[in-house]
Amino acid sequence: MKNAELALLPINQPDQYEQLEQRYKELLQQWINERVKPYLIQSYNPSLTSYGLKHYFEREIGVYITNGAFKGGMLAAGILPQSHEALNWVFKVGKRFYK
């Protein structure tokens, strides 16, 4: 299956965020505010995608979420992707995030 087809699967749709339990939404928003927002930059960074960032969230918080739920969480936090059509969204998150 090609990336364009995978992007259309329900698991990769941002509306998955709305299906999360409220406590998981709150955990995700807190994590985005503390771990992502401080590292926002002016240009898009293709080395940090929704898929990669969701894995950081899962490791640090211990909660599994789908790529789509993570995308929706970023939108809810006001962080827009470079392209809504991509399988793994690219955001303006700087390399200092890794530190």
Side-chain angles (χ1 to χ4, degrees):
M1 198 175 278
K2 296 182 180 183
N3 279 353
E5 295 168 326
L6 289 171
L8 297 175
L9 293 175
I11 197 169
N12 289 309
Q13 296 302 309
D15 62 359
Q16 290 281 305
Y17 175 75
E18 296 306 322
Q19 297 176 25
L20 290 176
E21 291 180 32
Q22 185 61 34
R23 63 185 172 145
Y24 296 135
K25 287 181 186 178
E26 291 170 4
L27 282 171
L28 180 55
Q29 288 307 309
Q30 180 180 353
W31 186 85
I32 290 170
N33 285 329
E34 294 174 2
R35 289 284 288 124
V36 176
K37 283 190 174 181
Y39 301 102
L40 293 179
I41 58 174
Q42 296 297 314
S43 58
Y44 290 99
N45 178 4
S47 66
L48 279 171
T49 66
S50 56
Y51 188 74
L53 288 166
K54 90 162 193 102
H55 282 288
Y56 278 101
F57 170 78
E58 290 171 348
R59 281 192 296 270
E60 293 175 17
I61 304 301
V63 173
Y64 171 81
I65 61 170
T66 64
N67 189 33
F70 188 86
K71 292 174 182 181
M74 291 289 273
L75 290 176
I79 303 172
L80 302 177
Q82 185 175 28
S83 168
H84 285 86
E85 285 78 39
L87 171 59
N88 299 312
W89 287 1
V90 173
F91 301 99
K92 294 180 177 181
V93 180
K95 292 180 181 177
R96 291 186 329 162
F97 171 85
Y98 293 116
K99 296 180 181 184

